[in-house]
Amino acid sequence: MPLVSMRQLLDEAAKGGYGVGAFNVNNMEQIQAIMEAARETKSPVIIQASRGARSYSQDKFLYHLMLAAAELYPEIPLVMHLDHGNSVETCKSAIDLGFTSVMMDGSLMPDGKTPSSFEYNVDATRQVVEMAHAKGVTVEGEIGVLGGIEDGHGAGGTGLEHVTDPDQAAEFVEKTGVDALAIAIGTSHGAYKFSRKPDGAVLKMDRLIEIHKKIPHVHLVMHGSSSVPKDLQDIINQYGGSLKPTWGVPVEEIQLGIRNGVRKINVDTDNRLAITGAIRKVFTETPEKFDPRDYLKPAREAMKKVVAERMKQFGQAGHAGDYSPISISEMAKKYSAQGVGVR
Ligand code: 13P
């Protein structure tokens, strides 16, 4: 199956009432882990790369690995998505390379740190929508500002400083024509999201429900959605790591989100934890080993286990064969028939 547009995946997810995990990658083993989990659970897949991942891998490597994934797993609908594009130029370079979906994160200025104005966000996102839709590529926008920093991108903070306003979300979608909308409800990137199991004071699921009621036709995106499970923290600490106690987003809260319009769920940290724990274990238990495959194989397996579990929990499992792909050029025609940028 060729790489498909994210819009098609999310439209199908909305029809089926499920969510789709978007997993970050930097290398071959992570892509293999996701594809194996997808095959095992029969899941459609979104694989995403941040700017940091693109520069780490010289992004051509990643792109060709994605083509290999599409060739080796023809039964899996597969999206290649740019996570947190910081500017129109970054999104353009991803589209030129062959990404089938991009995020224009205009909630921050191009430095990837400073919160922007609403007008700037609308203007930059609208430009990306026009450019992307003309090629059949999907666009995710962001309104409100997430907490934390990932790969050098982020405003920092707890994620409660700029929680999304429902009226502004509706206006933003109307003015930009984005296909999917990331909202800020108190989540943040990274392992240190909450200092206790989150309740409504720090994780604003009520706000998410309000936004969904206001714009029920819009595919919502939850960023910073790793659950940071205690067992993965424990493995790292048992084998010489030193993570401080921390809490992530409980899976049942994500499932509540999925019942209220969330179609894409971003997960990176949980996989990083799984990989690091598995590698630390090999290093500690068999310090005489030095073949990278001795620790990369268990690392890949540990990530596959986490991804397969999330695919089942988000409900995407079993849906890979529900539909045939609409090509990107076909998507471009659909957008142009509606007027570029119109939902
Ligand atoms: P986590 O750090 O919670 O995995 O979030 C990743 C993310 O939102 C990537 O955009």
Side-chain angles (χ1 to χ4, degrees):
M1 194 178 286
L3 296 174
V4 301
S5 81
M6 190 166 82
R7 181 63 192 256
Q8 186 188 12
L9 242 77
L10 300 187
D11 284 349
E12 291 290 339
K15 270 191 238 160
Y18 58 89
V20 183
F23 304 101
N24 289 75
V25 298
N26 302 281
N27 63 25
M28 178 182 77
E29 285 76 9
Q30 290 175 307
I31 294 176
Q32 290 173 327
I34 296 167
M35 296 313 295
E36 279 298 306
R39 174 163 281 168
E40 188 178 285
T41 61
K42 300 185 172 40
S43 298
V45 164
I46 301 166
I47 292 186
Q48 59 187 9
S50 64
R51 269 191 301 145
R54 287 178 67 189
S55 88
Y56 173 81
S57 64
Q58 297 167 280
D59 69 10
K60 270 267 179 210
F61 278 110
L62 267 194
Y63 179 61
H64 285 275
L65 287 168
M66 291 295 293
L67 294 184
E71 188 180 321
L72 292 170
Y73 298 81
E75 78 280 18
I76 304 294
L78 172 58
V79 173
M80 183 173 187
H81 175 76
L82 169 70
D83 193 22
H84 292 288
N86 64 317
S87 66
V88 178
E89 294 69 37
T90 301
C91 293
K92 181 174 184 314
S93 71
I95 294 169
D96 288 347
L97 181 63
F99 280 70
T100 55
S101 179
V102 294
M103 175 182 192
M104 173 64 224
D105 180 1
S107 73
L108 299 176
M109 295 304 286
D111 67 2
K113 293 180 173 48
T114 314
S116 68
S117 68
F118 181 73
E119 291 69 29
Y120 167 84
N121 194 357
V122 167
D123 181 55
T125 307
R126 173 84 205 170
Q127 284 184 52
V128 173
V129 168
E130 282 173 12
M131 173 175 72
H133 283 188
K135 300 210 162 151
V137 170
T138 311
V139 181
E140 173 184 339
E142 175 170 324
I143 189 80
V145 181
L146 292 155
I149 297 178
E150 190 190 30
D151 282 355
H153 181 101
T158 62
L160 289 172
E161 293 83 355
H162 305 274
V163 167
T164 303
D165 173 77
D167 290 324
Q168 225 179 38
E171 192 184 340
F172 181 79
V173 171
E174 178 66 32
K175 289 193 159 146
T176 59
V178 285
D179 300 280
L181 184 67
I183 55 170
I185 51 164
T187 67
S188 54
H189 292 128
Y192 299 103
K193 302 182 194 303
F194 304 110
S195 52
R196 58 186 158 84
K197 187 167 186 235
D199 57 21
V202 288
L203 179 59
K204 307 271 178 200
M205 296 308 292
D206 287 355
R207 181 59 66 94
L208 183 148
I209 292 167
E210 247 183 277
I211 296 168
H212 176 56
K213 285 203 176 122
K214 191 115 215 158
I215 42 174
H217 55 293
V218 176
H219 303 313
L220 300 179
V221 183
M222 273 177 79
H223 279 246
S225 290
S226 277
S227 301
V228 196
K230 174 98 169 41
D231 60 331
L232 294 183
Q233 297 178 42
D234 287 348
I235 294 174
I236 290 182
N237 287 340
Q238 182 186 343
Y239 294 104
S242 61
L243 293 174
K244 296 183 290 255
T246 178
W247 277 260
V249 183
V251 168
E252 60 274 17
E253 301 288 359
I254 297 171
Q255 290 168 333
L256 171 65
I258 293 169
R259 290 195 295 279
N260 288 280
V262 171
R263 298 293 158 233
K264 173 173 182 271
I265 304 106
N266 283 16
V267 175
D268 185 1
T269 297
D270 284 353
N271 293 324
R272 293 178 173 198
L273 294 172
I275 287 170
T276 300
I279 290 177
R280 279 194 172 279
K281 185 167 187 289
V282 174
F283 283 176
T284 308
E285 287 180 345
T286 47
E288 72 284 5
K289 290 200 165 166
F290 57 87
D291 180 340
R293 289 170 298 187
D294 288 334
Y295 52 86
L296 291 177
K297 271 194 212 167
R300 187 171 60 189
E301 196 52 36
M303 173 164 165
K304 177 191 157 190
K305 200 165 151 242
V306 171
V307 173
E309 194 182 2
R310 294 289 173 273
M311 286 171 162
K312 289 182 209 149
Q313 291 163 330
F314 298 162
Q316 72 206 82
H319 288 287
D322 288 359
Y323 46 93
S324 7
I326 302 173
S327 70
I328 294 293
S329 52
E330 205 57 33
M331 284 302 292
K333 282 190 209 138
K334 277 172 172 273
Y335 284 124
S336 103
Q338 297 166 0
V340 171
V342 174
R343 290 184 57 83

mmCIF file of all heavy atoms in Angstrom, residues 24 48 83-84 150 188-190 193 223-226 266-270, ligand 1:
data_model
loop_
_atom_site.group_PDB
_atom_site.id
_atom_site.type_symbol
_atom_site.label_atom_id
_atom_site.label_comp_id
_atom_site.label_asym_id
_atom_site.label_seq_id
_atom_site.Cartn_x
_atom_site.Cartn_y
_atom_site.Cartn_z
ATOM 1 N N ASN A 24 6.235 8.556 17.433
ATOM 2 C CA ASN A 24 7.424 9.254 16.920
ATOM 3 C C ASN A 24 8.557 8.272 16.647
ATOM 4 O O ASN A 24 8.743 7.307 17.390
ATOM 5 C CB ASN A 24 7.909 10.276 17.942
ATOM 6 C CG ASN A 24 6.970 11.459 18.038
ATOM 7 O OD1 ASN A 24 5.895 11.356 18.613
ATOM 8 N ND2 ASN A 24 7.354 12.586 17.459
ATOM 9 N N GLN A 48 5.296 9.441 12.925
ATOM 10 C CA GLN A 48 5.617 10.858 12.808
ATOM 11 C C GLN A 48 7.066 11.147 13.177
ATOM 12 O O GLN A 48 7.680 10.455 13.987
ATOM 13 C CB GLN A 48 4.645 11.711 13.626
ATOM 14 C CG GLN A 48 4.586 11.420 15.101
ATOM 15 C CD GLN A 48 3.476 12.209 15.796
ATOM 16 O OE1 GLN A 48 2.644 12.854 15.142
ATOM 17 N NE2 GLN A 48 3.454 12.181 17.127
ATOM 18 N N ASP A 83 5.744 16.090 12.715
ATOM 19 C CA ASP A 83 5.295 16.519 14.042
ATOM 20 C C ASP A 83 5.869 17.922 14.321
ATOM 21 O O ASP A 83 7.075 18.142 14.160
ATOM 22 C CB ASP A 83 5.818 15.493 15.065
ATOM 23 C CG ASP A 83 5.167 15.637 16.424
ATOM 24 O OD1 ASP A 83 4.062 16.199 16.513
ATOM 25 O OD2 ASP A 83 5.773 15.156 17.416
ATOM 26 N N HIS A 84 5.025 18.850 14.735
ATOM 27 C CA HIS A 84 5.448 20.204 15.128
ATOM 28 C C HIS A 84 6.331 20.927 14.111
ATOM 29 O O HIS A 84 7.452 21.344 14.432
ATOM 30 C CB HIS A 84 6.173 20.173 16.488
ATOM 31 C CG HIS A 84 5.265 19.836 17.618
ATOM 32 N ND1 HIS A 84 4.321 20.707 18.103
ATOM 33 C CD2 HIS A 84 5.127 18.703 18.332
ATOM 34 C CE1 HIS A 84 3.648 20.119 19.075
ATOM 35 N NE2 HIS A 84 4.105 18.898 19.238
ATOM 36 N N GLU A 150 10.037 19.195 23.781
ATOM 37 C CA GLU A 150 10.446 17.919 23.195
ATOM 38 C C GLU A 150 11.357 18.207 22.017
ATOM 39 O O GLU A 150 11.009 19.014 21.149
ATOM 40 C CB GLU A 150 9.218 17.140 22.711
ATOM 41 C CG GLU A 150 9.557 15.720 22.311
ATOM 42 C CD GLU A 150 8.400 15.012 21.614
ATOM 43 O OE1 GLU A 150 7.591 15.673 20.953
ATOM 44 O OE2 GLU A 150 8.349 13.778 21.724
ATOM 45 N N SER A 188 1.577 17.782 28.544
ATOM 46 C CA SER A 188 2.860 18.345 28.115
ATOM 47 C C SER A 188 3.734 17.213 27.574
ATOM 48 O O SER A 188 3.516 16.042 27.897
ATOM 49 C CB SER A 188 3.549 19.044 29.289
ATOM 50 O OG SER A 188 3.650 18.156 30.372
ATOM 51 N N HIS A 189 4.704 17.582 26.783
ATOM 52 C CA HIS A 189 5.623 16.578 26.235
ATOM 53 C C HIS A 189 6.577 16.087 27.319
ATOM 54 O O HIS A 189 6.890 16.816 28.254
ATOM 55 C CB HIS A 189 6.443 17.196 25.096
ATOM 56 C CG HIS A 189 5.617 17.532 23.887
ATOM 57 N ND1 HIS A 189 5.640 18.776 23.297
ATOM 58 C CD2 HIS A 189 4.754 16.799 23.164
ATOM 59 C CE1 HIS A 189 4.828 18.779 22.246
ATOM 60 N NE2 HIS A 189 4.270 17.594 22.144
ATOM 61 N N GLY A 190 7.069 14.873 27.164
ATOM 62 C CA GLY A 190 8.115 14.374 28.048
ATOM 63 C C GLY A 190 7.593 13.512 29.188
ATOM 64 O O GLY A 190 6.387 13.255 29.307
ATOM 65 N N LYS A 193 4.994 14.985 33.431
ATOM 66 C CA LYS A 193 3.761 15.711 33.119
ATOM 67 C C LYS A 193 3.036 16.136 34.388
ATOM 68 O O LYS A 193 2.600 17.261 34.519
ATOM 69 C CB LYS A 193 2.827 14.817 32.294
ATOM 70 C CG LYS A 193 3.451 14.327 30.993
ATOM 71 C CD LYS A 193 2.446 13.493 30.222
ATOM 72 C CE LYS A 193 3.090 12.712 29.106
ATOM 73 N NZ LYS A 193 3.827 13.538 28.141
ATOM 74 N N HIS A 223 -1.865 15.759 22.159
ATOM 75 C CA HIS A 223 -0.405 15.644 22.248
ATOM 76 C C HIS A 223 -0.039 15.284 23.685
ATOM 77 O O HIS A 223 -0.885 15.315 24.574
ATOM 78 C CB HIS A 223 0.249 16.984 21.884
ATOM 79 C CG HIS A 223 0.353 17.206 20.412
ATOM 80 N ND1 HIS A 223 1.560 17.276 19.757
ATOM 81 C CD2 HIS A 223 -0.598 17.342 19.464
ATOM 82 C CE1 HIS A 223 1.339 17.475 18.463
ATOM 83 N NE2 HIS A 223 0.044 17.515 18.253
ATOM 84 N N GLY A 224 1.242 14.979 23.888
ATOM 85 C CA GLY A 224 1.717 14.709 25.251
ATOM 86 C C GLY A 224 0.921 13.608 25.925
ATOM 87 O O GLY A 224 0.594 13.707 27.102
ATOM 88 N N SER A 225 0.625 12.545 25.178
ATOM 89 C CA SER A 225 -0.311 11.548 25.696
ATOM 90 C C SER A 225 0.328 10.235 26.124
ATOM 91 O O SER A 225 -0.346 9.204 26.160
ATOM 92 C CB SER A 225 -1.407 11.292 24.663
ATOM 93 O OG SER A 225 -2.220 12.438 24.581
ATOM 94 N N SER A 226 1.598 10.283 26.434
ATOM 95 C CA SER A 226 2.191 9.070 27.017
ATOM 96 C C SER A 226 1.620 8.867 28.412
ATOM 97 O O SER A 226 1.320 9.836 29.119
ATOM 98 C CB SER A 226 3.722 9.199 27.090
ATOM 99 O OG SER A 226 4.281 8.858 25.834
ATOM 100 N N ASN A 266 -0.826 11.369 20.307
ATOM 101 C CA ASN A 266 0.630 11.379 20.129
ATOM 102 C C ASN A 266 1.348 10.691 21.296
ATOM 103 O O ASN A 266 1.145 11.068 22.455
ATOM 104 C CB ASN A 266 1.133 12.818 20.058
ATOM 105 C CG ASN A 266 0.854 13.460 18.716
ATOM 106 O OD1 ASN A 266 0.041 12.969 17.942
ATOM 107 N ND2 ASN A 266 1.529 14.551 18.434
ATOM 108 N N VAL A 267 2.198 9.735 20.950
ATOM 109 C CA VAL A 267 2.935 8.987 21.971
ATOM 110 C C VAL A 267 4.393 8.859 21.538
ATOM 111 O O VAL A 267 4.677 8.327 20.462
ATOM 112 C CB VAL A 267 2.326 7.577 22.153
ATOM 113 C CG1 VAL A 267 3.171 6.745 23.119
ATOM 114 C CG2 VAL A 267 0.890 7.660 22.658
ATOM 115 N N ASP A 268 5.279 9.355 22.357
ATOM 116 C CA ASP A 268 6.711 9.231 22.110
ATOM 117 C C ASP A 268 7.411 8.716 23.375
ATOM 118 O O ASP A 268 8.114 7.705 23.368
ATOM 119 C CB ASP A 268 7.269 10.609 21.696
ATOM 120 C CG ASP A 268 8.726 10.564 21.290
ATOM 121 O OD1 ASP A 268 9.323 9.464 21.295
ATOM 122 O OD2 ASP A 268 9.295 11.623 20.961
ATOM 123 N N THR A 269 7.177 9.419 24.490
ATOM 124 C CA THR A 269 7.905 9.121 25.726
ATOM 125 C C THR A 269 7.785 7.654 26.162
ATOM 126 O O THR A 269 8.787 7.035 26.561
ATOM 127 C CB THR A 269 7.403 10.056 26.852
ATOM 128 O OG1 THR A 269 7.703 11.405 26.464
ATOM 129 C CG2 THR A 269 8.052 9.740 28.179
ATOM 130 N N ASP A 270 6.597 7.067 26.092
ATOM 131 C CA ASP A 270 6.437 5.678 26.548
ATOM 132 C C ASP A 270 7.386 4.747 25.786
ATOM 133 O O ASP A 270 7.952 3.809 26.367
ATOM 134 C CB ASP A 270 4.989 5.196 26.361
ATOM 135 C CG ASP A 270 4.052 5.765 27.416
ATOM 136 O OD1 ASP A 270 4.542 6.420 28.362
ATOM 137 O OD2 ASP A 270 2.828 5.561 27.292
HETATM 138 P P1 13P B 1 4.727 12.322 24.937
HETATM 139 O O1 13P B 1 5.999 12.995 25.374
HETATM 140 O O2 13P B 1 3.687 12.321 26.010
HETATM 141 O O3 13P B 1 4.963 10.958 24.406
HETATM 142 O O4 13P B 1 4.106 13.186 23.755
HETATM 143 C C1 13P B 1 4.628 13.114 22.450
HETATM 144 C C2 13P B 1 4.035 14.130 21.557
HETATM 145 O O5 13P B 1 3.022 14.755 21.847
HETATM 146 C C3 13P B 1 4.717 14.384 20.270
HETATM 147 O O6 13P B 1 4.193 15.468 19.575
#
